[in-house]
Amino acid sequence: MLRTPSTFPKVPPFHGETVFSLREACKQGNLREAVSTFTASLTEDRTSLLDNPDEAYAPLLELCAKSRASSLGRQVHAHVLKFGVATPESVFLSTKLVFMYGKCGYVCDSQKVFDKMSDRTIFTWNAMMGAYVSNGKNLEALELYRQIRVSGSPLDSRTFPCALKACGALGDRHSGFEMHGLAIKCGCASVAFVANAMVAMYAKCKDLDSARKLFERMNGGDDDVLWNSMISAYSETLQYWEALVIFKKMRMVGVSPSTYTFVAALQACQGSSSSILGREIHAATLRSHQFLDVYVANALIAMYVRHGLMVEAARIFNLLEAKDNITWNSMLAGFIQNGLFAEALQCFHDFQDSGLTPDVVSLTSIITACGRLGCVLNGKESHAYAVKKGFASNLHVANTIIDMYSKCSRVSYMDHAFKMTPEKDSISWTTVVAGYAQNNCYLEALELSRQSQMEGMRADSMMIGSILLACRGLKHFFKVKEVHGYMIRHILTDRMLQNTLVDVYGECGQVDHAARMFELIEDKDAISWTSMISSCINNGYAVEALEVFQSMKDTAVQPDYITLVSILSAITSLSSLHKGKEVHGFITRKGFLLEGSLGNSLVDMYARCGSLESAYKTFSCIRNKNLVTWTTMITAYGIHGHGKKAVELFGRIEDRNLIPDHITFLALLYACSHSGLVEEGKIFLEIMKCKYQLEPWQEHYVCLVDLLGRVNRLEEAYQFVKNMAVEPAAEVWCALLGACRVHSNEELGEKVAKKLLELNPKNPGNHVLVSNLFAAESRWNDVRVVRMRMKADGLKKTPGCSWMEVGNKIHTFIARDKAHPESHKIYQKLAQIIEKLENEGGYVAQTKLVLHNVREEEKVEMLHGHSERLAIAYGLLSTSDDTPIRITKNLRICEDCHAFCKLVSRLYQRELVVRDASRFHCFQDGFCSCADLW
């Protein structure tokens, strides 16, 4: 038999004055007054309480439940036990006690009272089931529901919502469907709150079709709760658009939205296109006068924060007077999500001044902001606040503190915070390993990862990513393979990890492994392609990088800024102007903005491909020029020998109030060096130190020594090196030795050579330079000693190599090599060129530059076989007369080849653009742009 009342049965009224006052205080929700009345009655009018205990105690227990006042509830319980008011036979009060303990979160106490009851009504069963559900014990709730069925107790309409909620939480659609049938049989299915519970249950069980059918069968009606259930159902299953459609339909049929409706609809405004709908809902809240309700305001702030509309969020925040912790936390989260970390710090200070107490969520947000700002002082203050308030033991807070110190590069503090965390989880270990890896403490990162596994922590994708970062820093190939094997065994096929593996294999110099890993990635994204391109570039496979980029363009994946910057780097290394123009056209067609690193890379590409005019045009097109942009253009002028223009450009930097850095001055000194601007170079070194308080690097000193050496002021250069404020590095002595060899200063050269080999005995370039110095003086025994030492140390001289782009293909030439498929034609053409230069230009090979103890004929043959001459011959064979011949060489061009190029440009009336290891040489009509300063 079904009982449908929704409240406890009424007891006969008792009109005692004390009971009436207590009941009124409870009815008004005034806990303080109720406690006062109850306490007074214990001493003044105890009889009125004991004569009719149900009417006296029931309202007080209900108020305790509503207010979660467990302490008072226990006192009331103790009182009724003491005076024998609530016995196991007293069903009414015992049921109220079950209800009170359940609402206060003490489900075990509810269970004790329930188990002692000798008689139970359906209200008792409902109260116990509600206690289970409200405290997350859904399995116990369903078991109790089955006991009710077995006991034969009649069900009422209040039984179903609790049981259905338990089914939804467990995803038990089968039991929920069975309850639906029973509710229909009992005549409860049409009761609004039962129908709402059924809709919610189906939604929780991911059966939205059944939820929708049930909703439509009821025609929605004017019950806003049912509409709310449907909106929430779609929202919770991430079907936000459908949720908003229901909200619109609700308004169209004239159902007035409640506070909960607005909150549910605003939570559904998730996609990037839903900000307009969010504004419409905002307008609806204004019309309904629910705008300043704290729950609606919080939902509005959260919605605007999700869409990055912090101005609108702040406007609502400022209008709201009754702010709670959720309000402040929403604003804090908004500032952090939108990169406004300084504003987040100010918001937190205002939060503290508001009189409210920041909670764990607030503290986590502000610690995150400190880490992003790199502000360790504020971070330490937040850490101290967490300790003071007892939040430091919270695992989420502790992990955030570890991450904050990591972001602030305070590894020792990070390590201490990690060790002070009592119960570490996988996030703790992952965070500290990542912290060590990101702060270049690679060995420590690997050691901590090993310890985490010993502690039983399974390495997840984040941990593996950090370990790979450490392996990348150490270039530890075998460890990378070990990690790769772990990923295969544990089926970690995350694309982000696969991309990282491609990158790390490349960094370890294992391009083949990187390529195999790249091929295994099924759904490649832009990062996958960029990682493969970067692996090729970093290992000297620029041509292969271009091939990978071409393959990428044939897919549906669009290159991003990083991809384009990477491929421009490959083009720059190849000096492939044609490819560079292709990529520039692609950038223009796809609408990429010429700003930041992309614009700077384009300028650098054109400059290093020999097209200074295109570099300057691109530079002029960049609207928001930063210091890197200006420095890149100064470098471009420098490598092309336009030192005065570089100096002029530096003046424009100062006019714009930009502060030059070390790199800017390095580019400027380099430009002065390659244009013979001695006094300007010396002045700029002083400006750097005195005006901008920048302590010169060794590279700045190298430039000045090189500058003095080029103009044969060797003694001045030597004195400058000896009087340097810091100990000169090997590179400084190397620059001076190079100048000594060029200007044949044997005495000084020998001093410098001795010093250079003492400082850096493992650099093959230094040995070659010393060997050449001895060879120029015909000191063949000394040459033999240096070369024997090189061989013993396993050092090899870098062979000369030149390359050029012809017919959209890169052609490579090595000195005296015949690997090119057209080498026979090339050597025939070269012989013709030499004959013409000797007959018409008076060319005579400078065999003194051949620093080998061989016959004169062999020296001539060696000079004629230099790689750039092979490239020139091929260029004359394969290109039209009106196009420049562009060649790139990996070493500095020798004096004889320099003279050779001058004559070719005059006698063949062809422009030659040669980029060597030092700078550009533009040969026209027998002259070079370097003015013989190289």
Side-chain angles (χ1 to χ4, degrees):
M1 183 176 176
L2 178 71
R3 297 177 61 183
T4 56
S6 60
T7 59
F8 290 105
K10 294 182 179 178
V11 297
F14 181 77
H15 300 291
E17 184 177 341
T18 301
V19 174
F20 178 78
S21 300
L22 181 59
R23 190 170 63 242
E24 283 301 309
C26 293
K27 186 177 180 181
Q28 294 171 10
N30 193 328
L31 184 62
R32 181 174 295 180
E33 186 177 338
V35 170
S36 178
T37 305
F38 176 72
T39 304
S41 67
L42 292 177
T43 56
E44 298 173 8
D45 195 13
R46 185 182 300 173
T47 306
S48 62
L49 293 176
L50 300 178
D51 287 346
N52 200 337
D54 287 352
E55 188 172 355
Y57 290 109
L60 187 57
L61 287 171
E62 286 183 0
L63 182 59
C64 290
K66 182 180 179 182
S67 305
R68 305 292 194 271
S70 59
S71 180
L72 178 61
R74 289 185 186 280
Q75 290 181 37
V76 175
H77 188 185
H79 185 266
V80 296
L81 288 174
K82 180 178 179 181
F83 293 100
V85 174
T87 63
E89 291 77 21
S90 177
V91 178
F92 184 74
L93 271 186
S94 295
T95 299
K96 288 292 184 183
L97 284 166
V98 171
F99 177 75
M100 183 273 295
Y101 279 125
K103 283 293 183 183
C104 291
Y106 293 96
V107 68
C108 291
D109 293 319
S110 289
Q111 181 72 59
K112 287 176 183 177
V113 176
F114 179 81
D115 290 343
K116 289 179 180 179
M117 293 176 66
S118 56
D119 188 23
R120 303 179 184 117
T121 66
I122 189 58
F123 304 108
T124 312
W125 290 99
N126 290 348
M128 191 63 234
M129 189 156 48
Y132 280 136
V133 171
S134 61
N135 288 279
K137 294 183 176 294
N138 299 295
L139 280 172
E140 289 85 344
L142 283 186
E143 179 58 33
L144 195 67
Y145 169 78
R146 295 187 182 99
Q147 289 180 30
I148 298 173
R149 299 293 311 284
V150 171
S151 70
S153 297
L155 307 180
D156 69 0
S157 56
R158 295 286 178 178
T159 307
F160 291 104
C162 285
L164 288 166
K165 188 174 182 181
C167 291
L170 294 169
D172 189 351
R173 182 189 174 280
H174 179 76
S175 297
F177 189 72
E178 180 187 303
M179 291 175 197
H180 185 175
L182 185 61
I184 294 172
K185 183 179 178 181
C186 296
C188 294
S190 58
V191 178
F193 57 79
V194 176
N196 291 339
M198 287 191 289
V199 169
M201 180 274 297
Y202 282 124
K204 291 281 188 184
C205 294
K206 307 292 188 273
D207 185 3
L208 282 180
D209 287 340
S210 297
R212 185 66 180 256
K213 286 176 184 176
L214 181 59
F215 174 76
E216 290 174 348
R217 196 177 301 134
M218 299 181 68
N219 295 320
D222 58 357
D223 182 8
D224 65 291
V225 178
L226 187 58
W227 289 90
N228 295 345
S229 296
M230 215 48 227
I231 294 170
S232 295
Y234 278 115
S235 188
E236 288 171 6
T237 53
L238 309 183
Q239 299 186 51
Y240 302 119
W241 182 252
E242 289 80 356
L244 293 172
V245 169
I246 295 289
F247 174 73
K248 280 194 167 185
K249 188 175 179 181
M250 175 185 181
R251 297 190 64 205
M252 286 171 62
V253 299
V255 179
S256 298
S258 63
T259 297
Y260 186 84
T261 312
F262 286 124
V263 171
L266 287 166
Q267 287 173 345
C269 295
Q270 294 283 343
S272 57
S273 61
S274 61
S275 61
I276 297 173
L277 287 171
R279 292 178 188 273
E280 290 179 6
I281 297 170
H282 186 178
T285 65
L286 292 171
R287 289 191 294 272
S288 68
H289 305 294
Q290 296 187 46
F291 165 64
L292 291 179
D293 179 276
V294 68
Y295 299 107
V296 175
N298 288 344
L300 278 167
I301 291 170
M303 183 273 295
Y304 281 126
V305 161
R306 281 196 301 273
H307 292 93
L309 302 170
M310 288 306 297
V311 174
E312 288 81 352
R315 189 176 294 123
I316 296 167
F317 178 81
N318 292 330
L319 287 172
L320 185 64
E321 293 183 4
K323 300 178 182 72
D324 60 9
N325 276 35
I326 295 174
T327 317
W328 287 97
N329 289 340
S330 296
M331 283 304 294
L332 279 171
F335 284 130
I336 292 167
Q337 289 167 19
N338 291 281
L340 304 170
F341 305 119
E343 288 80 354
L345 284 177
Q346 184 57 51
C347 181
F348 184 75
H349 292 315
D350 294 341
F351 187 3
Q352 290 177 298
D353 294 340
S354 70
L356 293 172
T357 303
D359 54 19
V360 169
V361 177
S362 324
L363 198 59
T364 303
S365 296
I366 201 60
I367 294 171
T368 300
C370 294
R372 297 298 185 274
L373 281 171
C375 187
V376 71
L377 183 60
N378 289 114
K380 290 170 76 174
E381 288 177 354
S382 303
H383 189 178
Y385 183 89
V387 173
K388 181 180 177 182
K389 295 294 183 181
F391 294 147
S393 58
N394 180 281
L395 189 55
H396 189 43
V397 173
N399 291 340
T400 309
I401 290 170
I402 295 168
D403 182 64
M404 178 270 294
Y405 283 129
S406 164
K407 294 287 191 299
C408 294
S409 301
R410 294 296 193 273
V411 177
S412 59
Y413 293 157
M414 176 193 74
D415 183 65
H416 179 72
F418 174 73
K419 288 176 178 175
M420 291 302 292
T421 304
E423 296 294 331
K424 303 173 182 69
D425 63 359
S426 61
I427 297 174
S428 311
W429 287 97
T430 301
T431 303
V432 75
V433 170
Y436 274 120
Q438 290 162 10
N439 285 282
N440 305 330
C441 300
Y442 305 124
L443 290 173
E444 291 84 347
L446 293 179
E447 174 59 25
L448 261 293
S449 68
R450 188 186 65 80
Q451 287 184 28
S452 73
Q453 290 180 306
M454 291 176 64
E455 291 288 332
M457 299 291 172
R458 180 180 172 181
D460 58 7
S461 295
M462 295 297 292
M463 175 71 84
I464 293 294
S466 298
I467 295 172
L468 287 173
L469 179 61
C471 295
R472 185 180 191 270
L474 293 170
K475 292 183 169 41
H476 197 323
F477 169 57
F478 293 108
K479 185 66 177 178
V480 177
K481 289 184 70 177
E482 183 183 315
V483 174
H484 191 177
Y486 180 92
M487 288 171 56
I488 293 170
R489 289 194 303 275
H490 292 85
I491 320 176
L492 291 171
T493 55
D494 179 84
R495 186 171 62 191
M496 182 185 74
L497 278 183
Q498 292 176 320
N499 293 342
T500 305
L501 263 177
V502 173
D503 180 63
V504 175
Y505 273 132
E507 283 293 322
C508 292
Q510 302 296 322
V511 181
D512 289 343
H513 283 77
R516 284 198 288 271
M517 185 67 246
F518 175 73
E519 291 300 327
L520 289 172
I521 303 174
E522 294 181 0
D523 186 22
K524 298 177 181 68
D525 59 5
I527 299 173
S528 312
W529 290 97
T530 304
S531 297
M532 191 63 234
I533 290 169
S534 298
S535 294
C536 291
I537 294 168
N538 294 339
N539 289 280
Y541 296 101
V543 174
E544 290 76 3
L546 288 174
E547 291 172 358
V548 174
F549 179 69
Q550 187 58 50
S551 300
M552 180 185 185
K553 289 200 293 183
D554 294 338
T555 68
V557 180
Q558 289 297 317
D560 57 15
Y561 278 93
I562 300 173
T563 313
L564 293 169
V565 169
S566 297
I567 204 62
L568 284 171
S569 171
I571 292 167
T572 300
S573 68
L574 291 170
S575 294
S576 177
L577 183 61
H578 178 72
K579 290 287 185 185
K581 287 181 176 179
E582 278 186 10
V583 172
H584 192 177
F586 178 86
I587 289 168
T588 303
R589 289 193 305 275
K590 295 297 181 179
F592 287 95
L593 293 176
L594 287 185
E595 290 186 348
S597 57
L598 183 59
N600 300 338
S601 296
L602 262 178
V603 173
D604 186 58
M605 181 274 295
Y606 276 124
R608 294 184 185 277
C609 288
S611 182
L612 186 61
E613 182 182 356
S614 297
Y616 187 73
K617 283 181 180 177
T618 306
F619 170 78
S620 301
C621 289
I622 299 174
R623 292 184 179 180
N624 300 316
K625 299 179 181 69
N626 56 24
L627 183 62
V628 178
T629 314
W630 291 93
T631 302
T632 303
M633 196 62 222
I634 289 174
T635 303
Y637 279 135
I639 62 177
H640 282 271
H642 296 275
K644 291 184 177 179
K645 288 186 177 180
V647 171
E648 180 188 335
L649 205 62
F650 180 76
R652 290 169 62 186
I653 289 179
E654 293 190 306
D655 291 343
R656 282 163 176 75
N657 295 321
L658 288 171
I659 307 298
D661 60 9
H662 284 87
I663 306 297
T664 309
F665 278 105
L666 189 59
L668 193 59
L669 288 168
Y670 182 90
C672 292
S673 172
H674 285 80
S675 298
L677 304 177
V678 178
E679 297 308 317
E680 289 87 343
K682 292 165 74 174
I683 289 169
F684 282 126
L685 192 67
E686 288 304 311
I687 289 174
M688 176 185 179
K689 292 190 288 186
C690 300
K691 183 176 179 180
Y692 293 103
Q693 284 77 51
L694 294 171
E695 190 61 35
W697 296 341
Q698 293 285 348
E699 291 84 350
H700 297 96
Y701 293 123
V702 169
C703 283
L704 194 62
V705 171
D706 184 60
L707 173 56
L708 294 169
R710 286 178 190 276
V711 295
N712 200 14
R713 291 163 66 166
L714 295 178
E715 188 57 36
E716 184 180 349
Y718 182 55
Q719 292 303 319
F720 174 80
V721 173
K722 289 206 304 182
N723 295 321
M724 278 173 53
V726 294
E727 184 68 26
E731 291 77 13
V732 178
W733 292 106
C734 186
L736 184 56
L737 181 61
C740 290
R741 191 186 72 79
V742 169
H743 297 291
S744 303
N745 191 325
E746 300 174 11
E747 182 182 351
L748 180 59
E750 190 159 355
K751 292 180 185 176
V752 175
K754 183 179 179 181
K755 186 68 177 177
L756 181 60
L757 291 180
E758 286 176 3
L759 284 174
N760 197 349
K762 297 297 182 182
N763 188 316
N766 294 342
H767 284 79
V768 170
L769 198 56
V770 172
S771 172
N772 290 346
L773 179 72
F774 292 152
E777 301 167 15
S778 299
R779 294 166 57 180
W780 300 113
N781 288 333
D782 292 332
V783 170
R784 194 176 299 108
V785 169
V786 173
R787 289 179 179 172
M788 289 292 288
R789 188 186 301 172
M790 285 182 66
K791 187 175 181 180
D793 291 340
L795 304 176
K796 292 183 179 180
K797 178 185 176 181
T798 303
C801 177
S802 297
W803 59 92
M804 64 190 303
E805 183 180 23
V806 177
N808 207 22
K809 183 180 177 183
I810 304 297
H811 297 263
T812 304
F813 306 92
I814 298 173
R816 293 188 290 171
D817 183 46
K818 295 184 179 181
H820 195 279
E822 297 182 61
S823 63
H824 182 67
K825 291 181 181 179
I826 292 170
Y827 278 97
Q828 278 187 335
K829 183 66 176 177
L830 181 58
Q832 294 172 11
I833 296 169
I834 293 168
E835 184 179 357
K836 183 170 183 174
L837 265 57
E838 288 174 341
N839 295 336
E840 300 178 25
Y843 168 70
V844 178
Q846 301 178 58
T847 55
K848 67 174 184 178
L849 299 173
V850 179
L851 305 174
H852 293 273
N853 190 15
V854 295
R855 290 181 296 108
E856 197 71 12
E857 293 81 4
E858 287 185 62
K859 291 183 178 181
V860 172
E861 188 180 339
M862 291 172 75
L863 284 173
H864 290 170
H866 279 189
S867 62
E868 57 265 52
R869 302 190 192 202
L870 299 176
I872 290 169
Y874 185 70
L876 291 172
L877 278 171
S878 308
T879 60
S880 58
D881 293 342
D882 58 343
T883 58
I885 297 174
R886 300 179 183 276
I887 299 167
T888 303
K889 181 176 172 66
N890 67 331
L891 302 176
R892 183 178 180 271
I893 188 171
C894 75
E895 291 177 45
D896 192 64
C897 287
H898 197 265
F900 184 91
C901 291
K902 284 182 181 180
L903 289 172
V904 169
S905 70
R906 178 165 64 86
L907 296 178
Y908 283 87
Q909 288 298 295
R910 296 293 296 272
E911 180 184 356
L912 301 180
V913 180
V914 180
R915 171 186 159 193
D916 69 6
S918 180
R919 57 166 298 153
F920 271 93
H921 302 265
C922 183
F923 300 94
Q924 282 183 302
D925 298 322
F927 295 95
C928 179
S929 60
C930 74
D932 294 337
L933 285 167
W934 86 98

